[in-house]
Amino acid sequence: DPQIAPLPPSPWSRLPIVPASAHEPRAKMGAEGGECAGANGEKAEEAKPSPVVSRGCKLLDPMPMLTAKVVHGFGRGSKMLGFPTANMEVRWDKEDTPEVLSPSERDILEFARTCETGIYYAWAQVVNGSDRGIYKVAMSIGWNPTFTDVKAKTIEPWILHDYAEDFYDCELRIVVCGFVRPELKFDVFEELIVAIREDGEFCREALDATSVAEVAKHPFFAQE
């Protein structure tokens, strides 16, 4: 059975810690942070109910250590959803000839091919950017089923930090610590926004656990 790491009580979440593979919702999380913006720029109703989403902390062993270039994505993260995500380059064009790739390119391609789609918590560093801090991450991996224009699995870390400038084409290093929940499709756009916000807060807390907080000091990350 997967190891479930307990988290301390939080005002952000009323979810119990349940296995990430649970099929039935166990509790409902209340929306925090007031109003949220919809796709057309209009504000959602403040009383909009929060989607029922089960989340858990399933530690990965070993924890994948991934390196990739940050590339342009669909532009939805900041402009449409309000959550700026980085897009890690996955060389799907070389899926049939992985031997021509570098070791780091093969590693992230293999991870993308074989991992379960959904939300993960991780640590990340932009190695050659102006801000080389090591920060908490809520990472989405999958097909983005709420949208219909995704043709290949994507790896999109939402680094829970405000950067002063973009870091396209920079090298991003990530240690993927654990799995939170499977990928879901939301029929109501505002529910997607609420779920992403709550994913971020859940991952932020999960990374405070002793078993994963120390990962931020791993020599995989470039030291000052």
Side-chain angles (χ1 to χ4, degrees), residues 38-53:
N40 57 4
E42 297 177 357
K43 292 183 176 179
E45 297 178 6
E46 292 187 49
K48 190 74 178 179
S50 179
V52 178
V53 177

Side-chain angles (χ1 to χ4, degrees), residues 74 92 142-144 149-155:
F74 290 91
W92 292 110
W143 303 94
N144 295 313
D149 55 353
V150 180
K151 307 303 180 184
K153 286 168 71 176
T154 61
I155 299 181

Side-chain angles (χ1 to χ4, degrees), residues 194-218:
V194 172
I196 294 173
R197 183 191 305 124
E198 292 173 346
D199 288 337
E201 292 305 325
F202 189 93
C203 292
R204 193 189 302 274
E205 290 185 9
L207 290 159
D208 285 334
T210 303
S211 58
V212 291
E214 291 297 312
V215 174
K217 302 176 183 178
H218 195 281

Side-chain angles (χ1 to χ4, degrees), residues 83-162:
F83 306 97
T85 58
N87 286 268
M88 301 184 76
E89 183 179 44
V90 181
R91 295 298 302 274
W92 292 110
D93 59 317
K94 302 298 182 184
E95 185 176 11
D96 296 330
T97 56
E99 65 276 4
V100 305
L101 300 175
S102 69
S104 60
E105 288 174 328
R106 286 197 299 270
D107 286 346
I108 195 167
L109 175 61
E110 182 63 17
F111 177 74
R113 287 181 58 251
T114 59
C115 72
E116 182 176 359
T117 59
I119 305 301
Y120 292 77
Y121 53 103
W123 291 99
Q125 179 188 40
V126 181
V127 176
N128 53 346
S130 60
D131 186 342
R132 300 175 64 207
I134 301 165
Y135 301 115
K136 297 176 178 181
V137 172
M139 185 166 69
S140 172
I141 302 176
W143 303 94
N144 295 313
T146 301
F147 302 94
T148 59
D149 55 353
V150 180
K151 307 303 180 184
K153 286 168 71 176
T154 61
I155 299 181
E156 300 180 65
W158 172 24
I159 303 176
L160 303 173
H161 172 74
D162 292 328

